[in-house]
Amino acid sequence: QSVLTQPPSVSAAPGQKVTISCSGSISNIGNNYVSWYRQLPGTAPKLLIYDNNKRPSGIPDRFSGSKSGTSATLGITGLQTGDEADYYCGTWDSSLNAYVFGTGTKVTVL
Amino acid sequence: QVQLVESGGGVVQPGRSLRLSCAASGFTFSSYAMHWVRQAPGKGLEWVALISYDGSDKYYADSVKGRFTISRDNSKNTLFLHMNSLRAEDTAVYYCARDRWASLYCGGGRCNVYFDYWGQGTLVTVSS
């Protein structure tokens, strides 16, 4: 049972925007940095966002991250068919002394 | 370029043991903390364990604590996961992943852990 809650799925048409929420608590998102990962079907996850809102080199600025209180949000603009994947948030939980992932969100491009 | 290659997966009976390896290349292995993350078939990601750059600090998920041991051999650029008393619920693809930092980084009370590189994974199936 994950301590970070994400919507199971979100969808939008090509070119549109989607946002994915990640809800936690003071011991995880509230006090620590959040990262986001994308997992294309049949492949390993890949880092999309770190330090709440920073993009690694090679990740386009269509992807953005933000954090407020005990929640974080991933935004994807200019949606493309290649963005169809599972997306996970994650952070350290200082009470559990463990890293925790979100429940995961499947993005579908209509 | 950074490469992480897992090996050692396979089919194992419940209660038996297995050791996974992760061969690292393309970076100074001994300078980075490393993790194991797993994914059961059709399920989400689950963090398993973290080891600091020199092996002095280790952290485990409650689901594997006391059964799994993470270790590393910096002379061979290799990360290990020793899995004992395996259960059906341990069936998953196991990924090794590099941490951005040398150890659990908590500055000013705020911890910052993330995985900047991942291996392709190795499948462990626990079944009789």
Side-chain angles (χ1 to χ4, degrees):
Chain A
Q1 193 81 2
S2 176
V3 300
L4 303 182
T5 303
Q6 299 178 230
S9 63
V10 297
S11 61
Q16 297 300 302
K17 174 181 179 178
V18 294
T19 59
I20 300 171
S21 60
C22 175
S23 179
S25 67
I26 193 73
S27 66
N28 42 67
I29 293 178
N31 268 339
N32 300 316
Y33 289 89
V34 176
S35 51
W36 289 89
Y37 304 88
R38 176 168 79 174
Q39 187 175 33
L40 297 170
T43 68
K46 179 179 180 178
L47 179 66
L48 273 184
I49 297 287
Y50 66 97
D51 286 7
N52 301 330
N53 56 17
K54 295 183 173 62
R55 287 175 286 106
S57 61
I59 300 299
D61 59 6
R62 299 189 299 108
F63 296 90
S64 63
S66 63
K67 189 183 99 165
S68 178
T70 59
S71 293
T73 302
L74 174 71
I76 310 174
T77 59
L79 205 59
Q80 302 174 0
T81 54
D83 294 329
E84 288 202 330
D86 293 322
Y87 292 78
Y88 296 91
C89 59
T91 187
W92 188 258
D93 190 300
S94 302
S95 293
L96 297 175
N97 237 11
Y99 191 88
V100 290
F101 284 103
T103 47
T105 299
K106 182 175 183 60
V107 170
T108 300
V109 181
L110 301 172
Chain B
Q1 71 283 18
V2 172
Q3 273 201 309
L4 298 170
V5 180
E6 301 92 339
S7 61
V11 179
V12 61
Q13 293 179 328
R16 303 298 290 263
S17 300
L18 200 63
R19 187 186 78 165
L20 304 183
S21 300
C22 170
S25 61
F27 66 102
T28 305
F29 180 70
S30 59
S31 296
Y32 292 87
M34 298 292 296
H35 300 257
W36 287 100
V37 176
R38 69 184 180 183
Q39 186 170 36
K43 303 296 184 183
L45 301 174
E46 180 187 15
W47 176 81
V48 173
L50 153 67
I51 186 168
S52 61
Y53 71 105
D54 61 355
S56 60
D57 292 321
K58 302 176 185 180
Y59 300 84
Y60 297 93
D62 284 345
S63 58
V64 306
K65 204 171 292 183
R67 300 187 301 123
F68 290 12
T69 301
I70 189 172
S71 63
R72 64 191 298 159
D73 184 340
N74 286 344
S75 68
K76 296 182 179 177
N77 292 343
T78 304
L79 174 72
F80 300 103
L81 185 67
H82 306 259
M83 305 185 293
N84 296 326
S85 304
L86 282 162
R87 307 166 180 166
E89 53 265 37
D90 295 318
T91 294
V93 174
Y94 285 74
Y95 298 99
C96 65
R98 192 183 84 166
D99 194 307
R100 170 61 181 85
W101 310 105
S103 58
L104 174 61
Y105 179 72
C106 297
R110 296 185 181 277
C111 297
N112 193 351
V113 177
Y114 62 91
F115 317 109
D116 57 358
Y117 290 95
W118 298 66
Q120 86 290 347
T122 186
L123 175 62
V124 173
T125 303
V126 183
S127 173
S128 54

